[in-house]
């Protein structure tokens, strides 16, 4: 069996946006991909080749961020036009809109239960909203410059945010207090996210680096300097063992967080790569760039045992506790516990020992369903040893993982819900989401009608008073 079988491969290639792709996200069932763009459109791409894409027009300026709800039946979009829209990802393109901020909305994120939204804006605030009726809850206001990104923790108790003020802040959602600030000294963090364990955060920085912090000890666990351009986006693998990054240097890189090293460099985009995201299971990941293209890759480098762990984590999220800070990472596909190392390899240094190279023809799909030219993308595997002179290891902190001993407990309760019943319940939840969205649209239209009626009555009263004054002697 050759190593090439475990290299990432380009599965699909979508082209339909008319400007830079700014954001990408997978639906929970992997049937759809949502993207936002500087062309002011949201597009929903169907993974089935025979199905056409949906283009959603509504925003009056660039769409900066998009995300599927946890159920996959809503898509939220944030725009430079200062609004947020909630879409039903179907051909009808129904949506509700609300003015969320007084400046560009940079980021939008659903809570794990799908009931709350958090938005980040150039007005220096972070705001929380209910998904139903889009009711404003509260603001977080300690940043002193544009807020680029805000995300919920996996348990929804914390919020992490990054700003042009060179800080990454950690907030307690219940007390609404900033509980810690991490400081960037060179650039600022343009994107930030929680590790699936909820005990670490990663930040993509304009100083070309990626940093991983422990939110309990507040120490930096890893520092990667593998890009030669600003890092625009990042995404954790759901199992927590890998991190993908997108950069202005036109590459997507895959980092092995357990070994603390660069694993792959992917060349496919013609220009800066602006966004990247893993699917909910980690089996796929997608990237978007200034070349207006969306590329969907099959991970492959992750073995089947890791996929089992992802499913395990999804089933046991509510009951599992984070391991203590001193614990060593337990890995489902390693025979021994590994220690997670920091890496600061020079970005200008050429990649050595590239022992495998795979080229894949990409499939191009547009709204009309036509195929454009096939392009070549290359995957480079990077092997590095801990003794390499180009790698300066500064930490030996462990990245918390979910322990494999939970597997027996989970498998014992795995047969609790029959597949048919689970499918029916999922369908009912989806219908309820659509019903909620429809009611919200009707409420919005009713409010507009009431406003118009009130205006008509006020005008009628003014006319009546005016006529009365004219008739008086």
């Amino acid at each position: 069996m050759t190593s090439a079988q475990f290299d990432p491969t380009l599965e699909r290639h979508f082209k339909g946006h008319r400007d830079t792709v700014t954001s990408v996200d997978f639906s929970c069932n992997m049937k759809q991909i949502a993207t936002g763009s500087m062309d002011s459109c949201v597009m929903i791409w169907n993974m089935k080749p025979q199905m056409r894409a949906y283009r959603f027009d509504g925003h009056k300026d660039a769409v900066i961020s998009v995300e599927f709800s946890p159920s996959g039946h809503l898509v939220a979009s944030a725009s430079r036009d200062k609004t947020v829209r909630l879409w039903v990802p179907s051909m009808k393109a129904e949506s509700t809109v609300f003015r969320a901020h007084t400046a560009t909305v940079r980021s939008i994120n659903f809570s794990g239960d799908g009931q709350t939204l958090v938005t980040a804006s150039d007005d220096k605030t972070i705001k929380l909203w209910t998904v139903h009726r889009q009711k404003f809850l509260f603001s977080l206001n300690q940043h002193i410059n544009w807020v680029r990104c805000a995300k919920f923790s996996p348990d929804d108790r914390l919020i992490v945010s990054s700003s042009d003020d060179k800080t990454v802040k950690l907030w307690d959602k219940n007390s609404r207090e900033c509980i810690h600030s991490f400081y960037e000294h060179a650039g600022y963090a343009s994107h930030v996210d929680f590790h699936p364990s909820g005990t670490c955060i990663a930040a993509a920085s304009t100083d070309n680096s990626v940093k991983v912090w422990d939110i309990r000890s507040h120490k930096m666990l890893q520092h990667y300097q593998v890009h030669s351009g600003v890092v625009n986006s990042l995404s954790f693998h759901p199992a927590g063992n890998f991190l993908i990054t997108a950069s202005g240097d036109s590459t997507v890189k895959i980092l092995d967080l357990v070994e603390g090293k660069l694993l792959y460099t992917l060349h496919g985009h013609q220009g800066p790569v602006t966004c990247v995201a893993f699917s909910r299971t980690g089996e796929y990941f997608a990237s978007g760039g200034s070349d207006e293209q969306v590329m969907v890759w099959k991970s492959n480098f992750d073995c089947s045992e890791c996929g089992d762990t992802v499913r395990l984590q999804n089933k046991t999220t509510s009951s599992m506790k984070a391991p203590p800070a001193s614990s060593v990472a337990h890995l489902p596909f390693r025979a021994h516990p590994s220690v997670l190392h920091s890496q600061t390899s020079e970005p200008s240094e050429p990649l050595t020992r590239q022992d495998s190279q795979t080229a894949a023809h990409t499939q191009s799909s547009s709204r009309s369903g036509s195929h454009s030219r096939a392009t070549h993308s290359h995957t480079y595997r990077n092997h590095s040893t801990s003794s390499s002179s180009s790698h300066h290891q500064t930490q030996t902190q462990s990245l918390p993982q979910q322990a494999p001993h939970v597997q027996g407990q989970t498998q014992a309760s795995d047969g609790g819900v029959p597949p048919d019943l689970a499918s029916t319940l999922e369908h009912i939840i989806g219908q309820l989401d659509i019903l909620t969205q429809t009611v919200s649209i009707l409420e919005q239209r009713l409010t507009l009608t009431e406003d118009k009626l009130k205006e008509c009555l006020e005008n009628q009263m003014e006319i009546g008073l005016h006529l009365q004054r004219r008739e008086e002697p």
Side-chain angles (χ1 to χ4, degrees):
M1 188 175 290
T2 63
S3 63
Q5 289 178 295
F6 298 101
D7 293 339
T9 53
L10 192 57
E11 294 289 303
R12 298 293 304 279
H13 171 215
F14 299 112
K15 192 163 175 63
H17 280 297
R18 298 161 185 153
D19 206 335
T20 299
V21 180
T22 56
S23 183
V24 62
D25 191 37
F26 286 88
S27 65
C28 56
N29 59 11
M30 260 298 296
K31 291 181 179 179
Q32 294 179 317
I33 296 173
T35 55
S37 169
M38 297 296 286
D39 65 7
S40 307
C41 291
V42 173
M43 292 199 72
I44 307 295
W45 310 92
N46 290 292
M47 287 298 287
K48 288 185 178 179
Q50 65 271 23
M51 293 185 70
R52 296 173 64 181
Y54 307 136
R55 183 190 299 275
F56 293 166
D57 296 304
H59 284 294
K60 296 177 174 61
D61 208 334
V63 178
I64 309 297
S65 178
V66 295
E67 185 174 281
F68 273 99
S69 63
S71 67
H73 297 289
L74 288 176
V75 173
S77 59
S79 171
R80 194 187 279 167
D81 65 10
K82 308 173 189 176
T83 69
V84 166
R85 282 182 179 264
L86 292 174
W87 309 83
V88 177
S90 64
M91 196 178 296
K92 291 182 180 179
E94 294 173 333
S95 72
T96 56
V97 59
F98 62 100
R99 186 182 174 89
H101 290 270
T102 58
T104 297
V105 190
R106 293 272 171 193
S107 167
I108 193 159
N109 181 231
F110 282 94
S111 59
D113 61 9
Q115 300 301 308
T116 313
L117 286 168
V118 62
T119 57
S121 170
D122 287 0
D123 64 11
K124 306 174 190 176
T125 68
I126 300 151
K127 292 185 178 182
L128 276 82
W129 314 80
T130 62
V131 173
H132 178 58
R133 301 186 69 174
Q134 299 86 55
K135 179 185 174 184
F136 170 72
L137 296 175
F138 58 87
S139 289
L140 304 172
N141 300 304
Q142 291 188 28
H143 282 296
I144 57 173
N145 207 332
W146 294 358
V147 188
R148 294 276 174 175
C149 186
K151 296 285 184 75
F152 283 106
S153 62
D155 61 7
D156 294 338
R157 290 186 301 170
L158 302 174
I159 293 169
V160 66
S161 62
S162 62
S163 167
D164 286 18
D165 63 11
K166 296 190 175 184
T167 67
V168 172
K169 291 186 182 293
L170 200 62
W171 310 81
D172 185 298
K173 192 185 78 171
N174 294 326
S175 69
R176 307 179 190 180
E177 295 291 329
C178 177
I179 56 179
H180 189 74
S181 293
F182 300 92
Y183 293 92
E184 292 271 359
H185 298 291
Y188 60 83
S190 55
H191 190 96
V192 67
D193 203 2
F194 277 94
H195 183 269
S197 69
T199 57
C200 302
I201 56 171
S205 180
T206 57
D207 67 0
N208 305 354
S209 74
V210 175
K211 301 177 183 71
V212 180
W213 283 291
D214 189 312
I215 65 171
R216 301 159 302 180
S217 65
H218 303 151
K219 292 181 179 179
M220 186 188 294
L221 298 179
Q222 295 185 329
H223 184 198
Y224 294 94
Q225 291 179 309
V226 293
H227 283 289
S228 59
V230 297
V231 187
N232 296 312
S233 180
L234 53 77
S235 179
F236 280 104
H237 188 283
N241 304 322
F242 303 100
L243 183 71
I244 49 174
T245 58
S247 171
D249 63 11
S250 305
T251 68
V252 172
K253 291 183 186 283
I254 299 164
L255 306 174
D256 185 331
L257 297 175
V258 178
E259 300 296 334
K261 68 179 182 182
L262 175 63
L263 195 63
Y264 292 101
T265 295
L266 307 181
H267 298 269
H269 289 279
Q270 306 298 312
V273 188
T274 49
C275 53
V276 70
F278 268 114
S279 65
R280 299 296 195 267
T281 62
E283 186 180 0
Y284 294 89
F285 59 93
S287 59
S290 62
D291 56 4
E292 306 170 9
Q293 298 181 74
V294 180
M295 296 185 176
V296 182
W297 310 76
K298 189 171 174 60
S299 300
N300 295 329
F301 54 81
D302 198 8
C303 62
S304 60
E305 288 89 343
C306 200
D308 293 338
T309 302
V310 175
R311 288 188 285 276
L312 229 159
Q313 288 177 345
N314 290 337
K315 294 174 185 173
T316 59
T317 301
S318 59
S319 62
M320 289 177 65
K321 294 181 181 178
S326 60
S327 66
V328 177
H330 294 279
L331 301 177
F333 53 92
R334 298 271 193 251
H336 58 86
S338 300
V339 178
L340 184 138
H341 302 285
S342 284
Q343 167 182 322
T344 54
S345 59
E346 293 299 323
S348 57
E349 188 176 309
L351 298 174
T352 59
R353 299 187 64 184
Q354 297 167 349
D355 67 343
S356 66
Q357 176 176 339
T358 61
H361 287 283
T362 66
Q363 220 176 12
S364 176
S365 171
S366 66
R367 183 183 171 90
S368 62
S370 61
H371 297 280
S372 61
R373 64 179 182 84
T375 60
H376 289 282
S377 70
H378 301 281
T379 305
Y380 297 105
R381 185 166 189 175
N382 303 276
H383 290 282
S384 58
T385 61
S386 57
S387 60
S388 172
S389 61
S390 66
H391 294 163
H392 174 55
Q393 297 176 347
T394 59
Q395 304 283 345
T396 56
Q397 302 289 337
S398 61
L399 192 66
Q401 298 288 334
Q402 318 299 355
H405 71 265
V406 183
Q407 188 167 4
Q409 301 169 8
T410 306
Q411 287 176 344
S413 60
D414 198 22
V417 181
D420 291 344
L421 179 58
S423 177
T424 304
L425 288 172
E426 185 181 348
H427 178 71
I428 290 170
I429 291 168
Q431 293 301 312
L432 286 172
D433 272 348
I434 294 170
L435 183 61
T436 301
Q437 184 74 6
T438 305
V439 170
S440 183
I441 292 168
L442 290 173
E443 284 176 347
Q444 192 177 31
R445 289 175 181 171
L446 184 60
T447 303
L448 289 171
T449 305
E450 287 173 347
D451 290 344
K452 289 289 183 184
L453 185 59
K454 184 179 177 182
E455 189 179 340
C456 289
L457 289 171
E458 287 173 353
N459 290 336
Q460 191 175 357
M461 287 177 66
E462 284 181 12
I463 292 168
L465 288 170
H466 182 68
L467 290 173
Q468 190 177 352
R469 289 194 199 100
R470 288 184 62 183
E471 288 173 358
E472 289 176 358

